[in-house]
Amino acid sequence: MFRLAHVPGVTPAKWVNVWTERMSGVPITLVAVPAAEVVELLRNGGADAGFVRLPVDRDGLSVIPLYVENTVVVVPKDHAVAAADEVAIADLIDQEVFHPLDDTIEWTVRPGLTAFTRPATTADAVELVAAGTGILLVPQSLARLHHRRDLTYRPVPDAPQSQVALTWPTDATTDLVEDFIGIVRGRTVNSSRGRTPASPPKKPAQRQAQKPAQGSRRGAVPASSKRKGNRPR
């Protein structure tokens, strides 16, 4: 079995589908884990590899950065920000902005005003935004994950972005981990850097019908007993 951890907002379906097709003999199990706990889970052997949001403490871990997500601001649908196609950090200077404890965006200077509380999770912060007590900046996938009918979001192009990466304990780089790395990197089954699944056993060669030896055919008449025909004159 291969255990794959993933943090909220990261959807590993496309890689899992390839694994299922290519490694049908090895089941893959998904382990959903909060962003703040994924590194500890990997170090304690709770998963073989995981998708994380950078930055993380890389001590003892191997990390492959994958893609960057845009940052968006989540607001009530009737909020003034919702009227714009996109928002700049400067537009939020007078807004109370929630900063959940599981926030993975690296801010040099946090935008807006500090909200009256710091929620434990992004999900808690979304509930507070829906109550009209502040706004929230998150990676776009998290805004989609916590979608509500009474909320909307707009891109913030000049905000720091969140990067997703694949990581695993360096001293536990097993063959299965190498196989999954190959899938994430887009390697084919026959790639020289990936392990090639064992070839299916060959079918036994079909026995070819033996041709009867010359002169041994059933019903053949020995040459000596053939009647000689009369020669034409």
Side-chain angles (χ1 to χ4, degrees):
M1 180 179 296
F2 185 72
R3 301 160 301 164
L4 179 65
H6 63 100
V7 298
V10 176
T11 305
K14 65 178 181 180
W15 297 297
V16 171
N17 290 340
V18 175
W19 177 280
T20 302
E21 294 174 1
R22 189 177 299 181
M23 307 287 292
S24 57
V26 183
I28 186 169
T29 299
L30 296 180
V31 183
V33 57
E37 300 175 13
V38 64
V39 169
E40 182 179 0
L41 178 79
L42 291 168
R43 287 180 176 150
N44 291 338
D48 300 295
F51 289 107
V52 304
R53 292 185 186 279
L54 300 179
V56 295
D57 180 1
R58 300 193 181 198
D59 185 29
L61 298 178
S62 295
V63 177
I64 300 176
L66 297 177
Y67 60 90
V68 174
E69 281 195 78
N70 293 328
T71 298
V72 301
V73 57
V74 180
V75 298
K77 280 192 172 179
D78 58 357
H79 196 283
V81 166
D85 292 331
E86 60 181 37
V87 182
I89 289 292
D91 298 330
L92 307 176
I93 190 171
D94 295 326
Q95 301 291 327
E96 290 193 15
V97 180
F98 290 111
H99 181 202
L101 295 176
D102 63 356
D103 185 14
T104 58
I105 298 177
E106 278 195 298
W107 297 97
T108 303
V109 178
R110 290 200 58 80
L113 304 173
T114 302
F116 69 93
T117 186
R118 191 170 184 193
T121 66
T122 297
D124 293 336
V126 169
E127 293 293 331
L128 292 171
V129 173
T133 55
I135 64 175
L136 174 67
L137 287 99
V138 292
Q140 185 169 326
S141 65
L142 286 181
R144 291 173 176 168
L145 176 66
H146 298 292
H147 172 72
R148 292 174 50 120
R149 290 185 178 180
D150 53 348
L151 298 180
T152 188
Y153 62 85
R154 295 291 182 268
V156 186
D158 59 345
Q161 296 176 312
S162 173
Q163 187 168 27
V164 174
L166 175 67
T167 185
W168 67 96
T170 303
D171 59 0
T173 308
T174 64
D175 286 340
L176 291 180
V177 171
E178 289 284 5
D179 287 329
F180 192 75
I181 293 170
I183 289 172
V184 171
R185 288 191 178 279
R187 297 177 194 154
T188 64
V189 176
N190 297 322
S191 169
S192 60
R193 295 192 61 188
R195 293 196 307 127
T196 303
S199 301
K202 295 182 179 179
K203 295 181 180 179
Q206 294 181 348
R207 297 179 60 184
Q208 296 180 352
Q210 293 183 352
K211 295 181 179 179
Q214 186 176 0
S216 64
R217 290 177 299 170
R218 183 179 297 178
V221 180
S224 59
S225 62
K226 289 183 180 180
R227 295 178 62 183
K228 296 180 180 180
N230 294 329
R231 294 180 179 179
R233 295 178 181 179

